[in-house]
């Protein structure tokens, strides 16, 4: 398929090379022609100089046949305008915009524009490493009401069924990291020592669920 990328910075150039390695055609747009110097000589994709939300520039980049569009320039406004033009004017199905301002990212997600909120993601990743006991989101839905987080279960859960843990904590275990590998759990899966549980939970219940998972089941 054909992919159009706005922004030939470090992210955009790496993304363009990655798309090309996967066997897809790619065009990358930047208003500064010197930015294309980040692409090595073997890059076979199209380089287009211009504004990423300009119709003629997008057409030159092949937006009319594009299956995907990524706006990863350094400007939030440029990214969101270009993403909306790609989706609303040209009907591109897969569109994503990088947004630095986390408040804007939430608004645009609710408008149906998938975003990567760089600052929010970085914040949560660093918090999760600085404060391992804090509930930090690895992912959240556009409204922020449901989040995905990683929690190591307390020793009292070892040997018990994940289903029992889910019912007690009010969570859904999506994946288990076990001995460095991801495992998709089923009804028979038991908690093992050293497991890390990747759980989906409502934001309102996150703190309470974290306590249950770390301390263990209530004894009856």
């Amino acid at each position: 398929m054909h992919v159009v990328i706005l922004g030939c910075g470090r992210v955009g150039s790496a993304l363009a090379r990655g798309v090309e390695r996967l066997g897809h055609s790619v065009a990358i747009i930047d208003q500064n022609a010197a930015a294309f110097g980040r692409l090595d000589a073997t890059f076979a994709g199209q380089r287009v100089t211009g504004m990423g939300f300009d119709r003629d520039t997008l057409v030159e980049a092949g937006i009319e046949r594009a299956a995907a569009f990524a706006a990863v320039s350094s400007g939030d406004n440029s990214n969101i305008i270009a993403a909306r033009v790609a989706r609303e004017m040209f009907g591109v199905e897969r569109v994503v915009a990088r947004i630095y301002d986390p408040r804007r990212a939430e608004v645009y997600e609710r408008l149906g524009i998938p975003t990567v909120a760089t600052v929010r993601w970085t914040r949560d990743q660093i918090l999760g490493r600085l404060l391992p006991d804090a509930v930090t989101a690895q992912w959240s839905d556009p409204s922020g009401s449901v989040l995905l987080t990683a929690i190591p279960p307390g020793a009292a859960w070892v040997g018990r069924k994940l289903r029992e843990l889910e019912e007690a904590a009010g969570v859904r275990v999506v994946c288990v990291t076990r001995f460095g590998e991801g495992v998709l759990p089923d009804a028979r899966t038991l908690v093992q020592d050293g497991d890390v549980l990747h759980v989906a939970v409502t934001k309102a219940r996150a703190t309470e669920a974290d306590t249950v998972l770390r301390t263990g089941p209530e004894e009856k």
Side-chain angles (χ1 to χ4, degrees):
M1 68 181 187
H2 184 60
V3 179
V4 177
I5 298 168
L6 168 61
C8 195
R10 285 173 292 183
V11 172
S13 58
L15 185 59
R17 291 192 297 269
V19 169
E20 191 174 62
R21 280 197 298 269
L22 290 171
H24 304 293
S25 65
V26 59
I28 188 162
I29 301 168
D30 202 290
Q31 61 181 332
N32 179 10
F36 299 129
R38 292 188 173 92
L39 301 168
D40 54 46
T42 62
F43 179 72
Q46 186 180 0
R47 301 166 176 84
V48 179
T49 303
M51 301 295 292
F53 49 81
D54 177 72
R55 186 183 186 282
D56 291 339
T57 299
L58 288 167
V59 169
E60 184 182 350
I63 195 69
E64 293 171 312
R65 60 186 174 90
F69 176 80
V72 293
S73 75
S74 59
D76 282 5
N77 289 336
S78 296
N79 287 343
I80 199 61
I81 293 172
R84 294 193 66 178
V85 169
R87 167 167 286 181
E88 297 169 13
M89 182 177 293
F90 293 100
V92 180
E93 182 179 352
R94 298 181 182 90
V95 173
V96 65
R98 179 176 66 174
I99 303 295
Y100 288 97
D101 186 338
R103 293 169 297 182
R104 284 185 177 183
E106 292 174 4
V107 172
Y108 295 133
E109 284 172 347
R110 291 173 185 172
L111 290 174
I113 301 293
T115 64
V116 176
T118 308
V119 172
R120 182 175 63 193
W121 185 88
T122 304
R123 176 202 65 196
D124 290 342
Q125 292 298 304
I126 292 175
L127 277 175
R129 287 160 175 74
L130 287 178
L131 307 172
D133 292 337
V135 179
T136 55
Q138 297 177 321
W139 172 90
S140 67
D141 75 298
S143 70
S145 59
V146 177
L147 57 88
L148 185 69
T149 187
I151 302 175
W157 284 111
V158 173
R160 292 180 178 261
K161 289 185 177 181
L162 278 179
R163 178 168 293 178
E164 180 184 352
L165 177 148
E166 289 178 325
E167 292 176 356
V171 303
R172 180 68 56 84
V173 179
V174 179
C175 172
V176 179
T177 298
R178 181 172 290 171
F179 304 121
E181 294 187 2
V183 177
L184 290 177
D186 58 32
R188 299 168 298 174
T189 304
L190 303 178
V191 179
Q192 293 186 16
D193 186 32
D195 281 354
V196 175
L197 308 181
H198 302 271
V199 303
V201 61
T202 61
K203 184 177 181 179
R205 188 173 169 76
T207 300
E208 181 182 353
D210 180 72
T211 300
V212 173
L213 292 175
R214 292 181 189 275
T215 58
E218 292 183 2
E219 297 297 335
K220 298 181 180 179

